[in-house]
Amino acid sequence: MALSCPDIEPLVPTFLDGELCVSDADEVASHAATCTDCRDHIDTERRVMTALRSQLAGPIAPADVHQRVGMLLDNEDLRTSRARRRAAVAWALPATSVAAAAAALMVTFVATHQGPPEAAAITREAASQMLDRAPLVVQPTAEMTRSVGAYLRAPVDAPQFVRAGIQFRGWRPINLRDRQAAELVYDVRTQSGGYSLLVHIMRAGDLSLRSQDRRVVDGKAVWIFHPYGMTSVAYKSEKGIGYVFTSAMPEGELVGMIAGSDILRAIGAPLPAN
């Protein structure tokens, strides 16, 4: 059963600390995406926690101390992992058969591949940014494109929307799943209402942004996700730059908006159908 407003309030501190289980965190984020009161409450709590943490922050250690401690920890991790592997081999080999070893390998393979794909996790985290009220960098589009390219250290193209009712608010640097990204924020007015649109741009050379739901837009394959009840449309250019468009607007309107922009024409030739 979906969480209600009274259910959300006691969960907010744990949610902001990142300590809720995945299912509860998903419920909170999904509820807040459509509930202004709870979203404002979460924003207020986040600001208070950020202010408190800034007051409680200890002195920053010199860079050489960070480096020495990091090397010591890396060496200890390496020594410990080697010792564990030796102990595991010594214990397991005399008592296991080839069939048991094969079964263990199969269990490892299944466990590794049962988790959510990274593309789905990326779009879920992108959608959760709807709650972010961090300051935006406000620049003209051409200047913003240069700034985003410099930040990502890669040539990027920002979408140009020609239809009325779309206003660029600004952009900010963020991380998605520890991946450096630029978040472009738009206000959009469509026939069905007013919405926020987030466009995330990232270097994605090693990342597949594909899903089981494929569309062809302007001769190019894009991939549809539905994080927290919203719609994300993902695309990766031949240059390895990933684009994720996310909004609560109806899927058809979002796909049509992307089709009406110049972004897919600007970022390369069609990708293979598969």
Side-chain angles (χ1 to χ4, degrees):
M1 185 174 63
L3 295 177
S4 62
C5 294
D7 298 325
I8 295 293
E9 184 171 358
L11 297 177
V12 169
T14 312
F15 173 75
L16 292 175
D17 284 336
E19 295 179 357
L20 277 182
C21 68
V22 173
S23 59
D24 286 346
D26 287 352
E27 288 280 356
V28 172
S30 180
H31 177 89
T34 57
C35 177
T36 303
D37 290 341
C38 287
R39 185 163 62 247
D40 290 344
H41 176 58
I42 291 173
D43 289 341
T44 300
E45 289 293 318
R46 181 184 286 111
R47 287 194 295 270
V48 171
M49 291 176 66
T50 300
L52 287 174
R53 285 168 178 164
S54 67
Q55 296 298 320
L56 296 173
I60 299 175
D64 61 331
V65 172
H66 278 287
Q67 189 174 23
R68 289 199 302 271
V69 171
M71 291 176 61
L72 289 172
L73 290 174
D74 288 344
N75 290 336
E76 179 62 20
D77 286 344
L78 181 60
R79 185 190 65 77
T80 302
S81 64
R82 285 175 175 171
R84 286 176 177 171
R85 283 198 299 272
R86 286 195 297 268
V89 170
W91 175 83
L93 283 181
T96 57
S97 64
V98 173
L105 288 174
M106 181 60 71
V107 169
T108 302
F109 178 84
V110 171
T112 301
H113 290 77
Q114 280 180 341
E118 187 178 4
I122 286 280
T123 58
R124 285 155 61 90
E125 194 160 330
S128 73
Q129 298 302 313
M130 286 290 183
L131 302 176
D132 195 356
R133 295 295 183 271
L136 296 169
V137 180
V138 180
Q139 296 175 310
T141 302
E143 186 178 344
M144 175 270 292
T145 301
R146 289 192 295 271
S147 298
V148 170
Y151 167 66
L152 295 177
R153 299 187 299 279
V156 302
D157 294 282
Q160 298 286 334
F161 298 102
V162 296
R163 53 156 287 184
I166 303 177
Q167 180 181 2
F168 174 61
R169 289 176 49 200
W171 76 280
R172 53 189 159 224
I174 66 166
N175 284 327
L176 293 178
R177 304 282 294 180
D178 296 324
R179 188 178 296 266
Q180 200 171 25
E183 179 179 277
L184 283 56
V185 182
Y186 298 82
D187 286 332
V188 181
R189 174 64 61 177
T190 72
Q191 290 183 345
S192 62
Y195 303 93
S196 291
L197 168 67
L198 302 184
V199 181
H200 291 94
I201 307 176
M202 70 203 82
R203 295 170 66 176
D206 61 337
L207 173 66
S208 171
L209 288 175
R210 298 181 179 185
S211 71
Q212 295 179 349
D213 193 352
R214 174 177 175 269
R215 301 282 192 281
V216 176
V217 178
D218 199 23
K220 298 178 177 67
V222 299
W223 310 91
I224 310 297
F225 299 82
H226 292 285
Y228 304 127
M230 291 181 269
T231 298
S232 288
V233 180
Y235 179 83
K236 186 169 77 171
S237 75
E238 289 188 328
K239 298 177 182 178
I241 303 299
Y243 297 81
V244 179
F245 300 76
T246 303
S247 180
M249 73 179 69
E251 179 182 314
E253 289 186 346
L254 179 57
V255 173
M257 186 178 303
I258 295 169
S261 74
D262 69 344
I263 188 63
L264 296 182
R265 292 186 292 276
I267 58 181
L271 289 178
N274 58 357

